[in-house]
Amino acid sequence: MRAGKTEEDGRIALIQSDIWIGFPRAEQVLDRLQGMIEAPRQTRMPGLLVHGASGIGKTMIARNLSRRYAPEYDPASGITRTPLLLLQAPPAPDERRFYLHILAAVGAPATALSARAQNVASLEVRVIALLRDLGLRMIMIDEVHNLLAGTHREQRRFLNVLRYLSNELEASLVCLGVSEAVDAIRGDIQLARRLDEHHLPNWRDDAEFSDMIQTLIAAMPLEKKSNLKVKSLKQILALTGGVTSRIFSLIKDLSIDAIVTGDECITDDAITKWTPVWSRHANAYRRLEKSGV
């Protein structure tokens, strides 16, 4: 007997929400980051550059760590302790914009500042003092490849800002971005020396990939077990290019279809018939282009 509509809607909503799957390669990075944030303060704190293809799981890892070290209010001191600050790099390497972004992230909007107090030097002093009071231990900069949108000089200045913040606050610096950002980071020799590199490769046809797929499917709220053939696993890899976000999209899409149709499991036939979301409308777009629309 199939579940009622209300229960189906609830399961579909669960599938559509963010799902954390602690596969080994993600846990390895998280363990390393946790060790860094728990490390004693020192003059030159350890840092890490996590890089890989877009959608490989960098942001997912960063957000998971951010939830583990969420801000906590200390009633004794009346201060909210913020051990970790997760930021997205601005669209271009702009110091002033970056400092304003930090103030907004910690709940200190720059609208309360006078125009004079919003110059780079004043913002720098305010940000350093505020972050020191918050007890910051790690700064995570996601989408760090955005700095490539600037000139070489602008990139160097922005990297200097990151290094300066890490030094002044004795906080670990973690950067996350696509592999193209590696060369930009290496452009600052001093920063490159303190940032170890951790590459997250695309998934390959191996036991680790098979385990990840099985773990992901098991996390879906389906009533039946999905027994997929090896051929289907290879097809999933081919359809997604080994990109984590695409793999998640595929499994979630098929899981929702399984609930709607009443199959309650992902089948080999469903995988064979599935069309990638990222190419589903490609033919229609090409027809429109040819017709001049």
Side-chain angles (χ1 to χ4, degrees):
M1 181 176 178
R2 289 185 57 190
K5 181 175 175 57
T6 301
E7 184 182 340
E8 287 182 0
D9 290 344
R11 288 192 290 151
I12 289 174
L14 179 62
I15 292 171
Q16 292 173 330
S17 64
D18 285 337
I19 297 175
W20 169 257
I21 303 296
F23 40 85
R25 64 163 60 181
E27 292 294 344
Q28 181 184 13
V29 178
L30 280 170
D31 288 345
R32 188 170 183 179
L33 292 174
Q34 191 163 337
M36 290 168 56
I37 201 171
E38 297 289 351
R41 291 186 184 274
Q42 50 190 288
T43 304
R44 182 165 294 187
M45 295 293 289
L48 188 66
L49 169 61
V50 182
H51 61 96
S54 178
I56 204 63
K58 302 178 296 294
T59 300
M60 180 173 61
I61 292 171
R63 288 177 178 173
N64 185 276
L65 186 72
S66 181
R67 286 192 291 269
R68 293 186 186 186
Y69 290 91
E72 293 185 357
Y73 178 73
D74 182 1
S77 63
I79 297 175
T80 298
R81 297 295 179 185
T82 306
L84 187 154
L85 182 61
L86 173 58
L87 302 164
Q88 181 173 311
D94 184 315
E95 299 167 72
R96 181 176 180 277
R97 190 172 186 174
F98 183 58
Y99 284 133
L100 290 173
H101 186 38
I102 291 176
L103 291 176
V106 297
T111 51
L113 300 176
S114 65
R116 182 177 181 180
Q118 292 190 30
N119 62 62
V120 174
S122 298
L123 288 172
E124 176 187 291
V125 172
R126 178 174 169 80
V127 164
I128 290 292
L130 183 59
L131 295 184
R132 186 174 284 128
D133 289 342
L134 294 177
L136 192 71
R137 301 186 66 85
M138 177 178 285
I139 306 172
M140 298 189 77
I141 312 296
D142 197 10
E143 307 288 348
V144 73
H145 49 265
N146 286 349
L147 63 88
L148 297 174
T151 65
H152 179 68
R153 182 179 179 182
E154 289 171 337
Q155 292 177 31
R156 292 295 300 274
R157 287 178 64 88
F158 188 77
L159 292 174
N160 282 340
V161 168
L162 297 183
R163 180 158 44 84
Y164 173 74
L165 287 175
S166 178
N167 288 341
E168 283 294 304
L169 299 168
E170 294 184 341
S172 293
L173 174 64
V174 177
C175 296
L176 306 102
V178 298
S179 295
E180 286 80 358
V182 175
D183 290 336
I185 295 292
R186 289 174 179 169
D188 186 310
I189 297 177
Q190 295 184 58
L191 185 60
R193 285 175 178 170
R194 70 175 61 182
L195 291 183
D196 290 338
E197 295 180 16
H198 188 109
H199 179 236
L200 286 173
N202 288 24
W203 294 93
R204 298 181 298 176
D205 184 11
D206 55 18
E208 184 185 20
F209 174 68
S210 177
D211 291 343
M212 187 272 285
I213 292 295
Q214 293 179 43
T215 302
L216 178 57
I217 293 177
M220 298 295 108
L222 299 176
E223 295 180 353
K224 299 178 183 178
K225 185 177 181 180
S226 302
N227 296 307
L228 299 178
K229 296 178 181 178
V230 174
K231 180 180 178 181
S232 293
L233 297 182
K234 293 180 181 293
Q235 191 166 3
I236 291 174
L237 190 63
L239 286 167
T240 62
V243 176
T244 308
S245 62
R246 290 183 173 184
I247 295 170
F248 273 55
S249 293
L250 183 152
I251 298 300
K252 287 185 172 187
D253 204 6
L254 292 175
S255 297
I256 292 173
D257 285 345
I259 291 175
V260 173
T261 61
D263 290 337
E264 290 296 345
C265 67
I266 298 174
T267 64
D268 295 306
D269 186 54
I271 293 175
T272 300
K273 295 178 179 179
W274 190 79
T275 305
V277 176
W278 42 92
S279 65
R280 192 166 292 171
H281 305 293
N283 292 332
Y285 289 149
R286 282 193 287 269
R287 286 197 297 271
L288 289 172
E289 288 176 355
K290 288 181 179 179
S291 64
V293 178

